[in-house]
Amino acid sequence: MINEKYIPSEVEAKWQKNWAKEQAFSTEVNRQRPEYYVLEMFPYPSGNLHMGHVRNYSIGDVVARYKKMQGYNVLHPMGWDAFGMPAENAAIKHGVNPADWTWENIANMRRQQHQLGLSYDWDREIATCHVEYYKWTQWMFLLFYEKGLAYKKKATVNWCNECNTVLANEQVVDGCCWRCDSIVVKKELEQWFFKITQYADRLLEDLKDLKGWPDRVKTMQENWIGRSTGAEFSFDVPEISEKISVYTTRQDTVFGVSYVVLAPEHPLVEKLIAGKAEQAAVRAFVDRVRNMSEISRTSSETEKEGVFTGAYAVNPFNGEQVPIWVANYVLVEYGTGAVMGVPAHDQRDWEFAVKYSLPKRLVIQAPNGELATDTMTEAYDGPGKMVNSGEFSEMDNQAGKNAICTWLEQRGIGQRRVNYRLRDWLVSRQRYWGAPIPMIYCDKCGVVPVPKTDLPVTLPQNISFETGSVSPLAKVEEFVNCTCPKCGGAARRETDTMDTFICSSWYYFRYTDPRNTSQPFDSVKANYWMPVDQYIGGVEHAILHLLYARFFTKVLKDAGLINIGEPFKNLLTQGMVIKDGSKMSKSKGNVVSPEEIIAKYGADTARVFILFAAPPERDLEWSDQGVEGAYRFLGRLWRIVGHYADSLVNAPAKYDVNSLDKNGRELRRALHVTIGKVSDAVGERFSFNTAISSIMELVNALYAFKEADANAQPGLIREVVSGLLRLLAPFAPHITEELWHEVIAEGSVHEQAWPEVDLEAVKVDEVEIVLQINGKVRDKIIVPVGLNATELESKAFEQEKVKELLAGKTVVKVISVPQKLVNIVVK
RNA sequence: GCCCGGGUGGCGGAAUGGCAGACGCGGAAGACUCAAAAUCUUUUGUUGGCAACAACGUGGGGGUUCAAGUCCCUUCCCGGGCACCA
């Protein structure tokens, strides 16, 4: 018997318990059915779900449930990105144990996820801080090391004073720390790196195959990788018997070089100025630039400044001596740390030359032939004909680029070169709460990897947290001191932990085989499920996580562990949840707590609202009244099904469709039109908002039917309600389950097949045709379906209103579109 | 500066080149009620008109087309990404 009033808390708790008991969403490899892997980015266990999570999981849950009803074997797991700074900060601030803090947060957030009624296979839950997980993260590190992809080097690295640790380039946003926003400084440190640059080309190339990714994300990755092609060659510096190697993409302009510039950190600077009058000035300049912050140093707004070294280099193309400068706009990390200056054809060089009165020489003439350095006001970087370029003069500059390279290669003084903006991934962190890097330092044997059989390297408990610049693990004697696996002598452990982005770079593989104790995952299982068919998360990971995960996947493929090269086939980047015009945040005080909303309206309402209020990729404006609307809609559904409950329970499963009257046929048509619309919206377009609006229309149609026809055929009502509940089930899983159970059948609505359109039901025998005169709607007529253009036209001219409006006018043209409209053009 | 998104009623948002504003919110009216809430029904782009109806209307300006929110050109505004990468 259906309760008169819809009380979500009762319905939802009941079914959540039931699904948990039945393990309704557990999955195994099954080759009888097509597989489908839907994944939402796993959360950091901060303690509470926020609306962004609710949105993320609601979207994923709709996809998972829909695919399941379509007959797919669906994998839909959940876990925790559980290592990271907040746990450690809580430890420092409140003296709690990071592990305890993390596990408590996980427990709370898991409880909140249960309240949302998400269809996860909870047997596959993982947490990256669990020793059975990070053991395999360490295994991955060793794999990278074996493959020569993990190495240690001393380098200038990004350091965050607030977080007391180094950061990867990807984690520096506008010169600030991605996590705490404080200014990042440079430090010279010996650190572990992953050789992601070795995969730069493939990471770039394979973007083309990611048809299911938003262009925006692909473009961002493309920019980040920043591939360029050009030439590298040397300028001789006879006075010190050295060469300065430069990289350029504009080798076609080599005859226009009027100076060579080094980065302040370039290793040759000291040698060049040794004993020269310029020595003091150059050193002062270099010191000043080095002390500039990263932000002002790399901003294109910063004025180009430089200083002459007093030394000269020889242009190998024309033998000219050109001055060597040091300037702030040259970066030591990119290319060779030295560039050739061609003021006429590079805007930066132009500005620099103007400031220091360096000569400009035109070597590319524009197609209109009007360029001259005296009349130019800025550099010309367009295409053209090479001039003043010796044997290359008169060549098209594109062809010239090639010819110059060939010239260099033939003489052995240079070659074609590809360069990337992407740098290797700095993966060490001077923090406690992360996976320890499984490396050992032995005085005799040097750097020795921990044997895989000795894993895991366990994080010690009972550790004291004081702020300082050494890694917390370095202070734990029992952890640091160990024996060398090679010689058995006394040795020390690496005390840095891994960047947590390593943990999240392979978790989607672990889900495919989460309890494996002998390997990170079984290849057969991973190959069955992978790639992830639909990945869903925020666009803020467009570069970070999504680039690292792609890198990992390629390395694992090369290592023979899997047979796919890309982890995520389709990517949906959801928009933010906004309130009062800005992102929900504690500091803005505009946070709406999911738990409160669920307590007041239920999870179904929260889900329906959040999916209905905006398309998934766009930002979503939170509206309390909108939530009320979603709640009202579910109430309306509840009541209309309740109204028909008696006849539904006794309804026949089959009935004679031909016996329906006009109202009945229309209702049945509404059902099947809705099935078509919702299937298209959910399955093809991820347009959940319009899917829900179509379902709302069907409910409205049911109310209209009730008003019009008191004696409904039970068979028809059953067909409609059964279809309606199945259509809504992925969105509002609890209420549909309850109603299904009460009025349709014993089993779960979520085990049912997705409804199919009956084309017969959708057919109509009359259509409305719009009559336009000069493109303006003047009348509408109902005509039998299938009239051709000519028949329609004559019908149109028969209309009294049309005749009236045409009186005294000349018909110029008539456009007649069957099933749609007739447009009469008159003068 | 460059590259992506986006600009549609009072609001969130719909519209394979073919009736702009589906659906929801908000507003108005009616029914039920002693009354209110809840619910159900009707209505609701703007302007003019008692009305039938007409004109206007998708950031601005041009264009293509019988027909443009949708295609093309141009311009403005908002959001995001990249930005001395040679």
Side-chain angles (χ1 to χ4, degrees), chain A residues 67 154 205-206 278 333 474 544 555 558 600 667 694-695:
Chain A
K67 286 288 171 183
K154 189 162 193 171
E205 266 314 294
D206 293 352
E278 286 83 358
E333 320 93 77
L544 289 156
V555 173
D558 291 352
K600 194 166 173 195
L667 179 64
S694 303
I695 298 171

Side-chain angles (χ1 to χ4, degrees), chain A residues 419-430:
Chain A
N419 243 315
Y420 299 93
R421 214 191 69 113
L422 182 73
R423 301 290 140 79
D424 275 343
W425 176 11
L426 199 176
V427 296
S428 326
R429 295 292 178 273
Q430 290 69 45

Side-chain angles (χ1 to χ4, degrees), chain A residues 390-635:
Chain A
E391 61 186 277
F392 301 98
S393 294
E394 298 302 308
M395 273 183 111
D396 169 78
N397 76 309
Q398 281 307 323
K401 279 187 177 178
N402 206 12
I404 297 267
C405 285
T406 308
W407 190 93
L408 283 169
E409 281 163 355
Q410 278 168 355
R411 279 158 189 75
I413 47 174
Q415 64 279 313
R416 279 160 232 267
R417 167 135 183 217
V418 177
N419 243 315
Y420 299 93
R421 214 191 69 113
L422 182 73
R423 301 290 140 79
D424 275 343
W425 176 11
L426 199 176
V427 296
S428 326
R429 295 292 178 273
Q430 290 69 45
R431 302 300 307 211
Y432 163 74
W433 194 233
I437 292 174
M439 286 290 167
I440 288 169
Y441 303 101
C442 170
D443 287 338
K444 260 193 251 162
C445 313
V447 179
V448 183
V450 173
K452 284 183 179 169
T453 47
D454 288 358
L455 293 179
V457 176
T458 318
L459 269 181
Q461 298 290 314
N462 300 330
I463 185 162
S464 74
F465 295 99
E466 297 145 34
T467 36
S469 59
V470 269
S471 308
L473 287 177
K475 289 177 268 180
V476 185
E477 296 283 319
E478 313 86 87
F479 178 82
V480 177
N481 298 322
C482 61
T483 51
C484 172
K486 240 187 194 166
C487 69
R492 285 161 291 112
R493 280 191 196 284
E494 166 67 64
T495 56
D496 282 355
T497 53
M498 288 182 233
D499 182 1
T500 56
F501 277 100
I502 295 181
C503 308
S504 56
S505 289
W506 71 281
Y507 78 105
Y508 42 90
F509 286 110
R510 184 68 179 172
Y511 279 139
T512 66
D513 192 14
R515 302 291 173 256
N516 199 321
T517 53
S518 59
Q519 48 185 339
F521 51 83
D522 172 31
S523 296
V524 174
K525 287 180 180 169
N527 285 335
Y528 170 78
W529 290 111
M530 289 294 291
V532 172
D533 292 277
Q534 185 63 56
Y535 200 29
I536 305 155
V539 75
E540 66 274 14
H541 286 108
I543 294 169
L544 289 156
H545 165 59
L546 291 169
L547 187 66
Y548 296 146
R550 294 183 59 224
F551 169 46
F552 253 74
T553 302
K554 290 178 194 308
V555 173
L556 295 184
K557 185 188 181 191
D558 291 352
L561 271 72
I562 46 158
N563 61 13
I564 49 136
E566 284 290 339
F568 313 122
K569 194 170 167 204
N570 296 294
L571 174 69
L572 177 73
T573 51
Q574 87 200 45
M576 291 186 297
V577 181
I578 303 285
K579 186 160 188 277
D580 310 321
S582 54
K583 188 182 176 177
M584 282 189 184
S585 73
K586 274 190 203 134
S587 57
K588 295 232 172 58
N590 60 351
V591 177
V592 179
S593 139
E595 219 173 333
E596 281 172 31
I597 294 295
I598 292 169
K600 194 166 173 195
Y601 300 100
D604 284 342
T605 292
R607 294 168 56 127
V608 166
F609 164 71
I610 230 164
L611 292 164
F612 177 67
E617 305 218 60
R618 272 214 246 168
D619 286 349
L620 181 154
E621 174 77 32
W622 184 266
S623 154
D624 291 332
Q625 285 166 332
V627 178
E628 290 275 354
Y631 183 65
R632 261 203 298 267
F633 162 63
L634 294 180

Side-chain angles (χ1 to χ4, degrees), chain A residues 43-48 80-83 86 101-103 105-106 109 129:
Chain A
Y44 178 78
S46 56
N48 281 290
W80 310 96
D81 187 10
F83 272 137
W101 184 88
T102 304
W103 291 115
N105 284 350
I106 287 176
M109 286 172 79
C129 68

Side-chain angles (χ1 to χ4, degrees), chain A residues 19 33 37 39 82 103 130 169 205 211 219 306 354 368 421 431 445 460 526 529 606 616 620 661 677 755 808 812 816:
Chain A
W19 296 331
R33 288 192 291 155
Y37 188 174
L39 183 65
W103 291 115
H130 196 287
N169 282 324
E205 266 314 294
K211 304 255 157 46
T219 309
V354 166
N368 60 19
R421 214 191 69 113
R431 302 300 307 211
C445 313
W529 290 111
L620 181 154
D661 61 5
K677 281 190 188 169
V812 181
S816 189

Side-chain angles (χ1 to χ4, degrees), chain A residues 4 31 54 95 179 207 272 341 402 509 545 613 665 703 719:
Chain A
E4 205 163 307
R31 302 202 182 266
V54 177
R179 195 177 269 293
L207 283 174
L272 283 170
N402 206 12
F509 286 110
H545 165 59
R665 281 200 308 277
Y703 272 87
E719 184 190 4

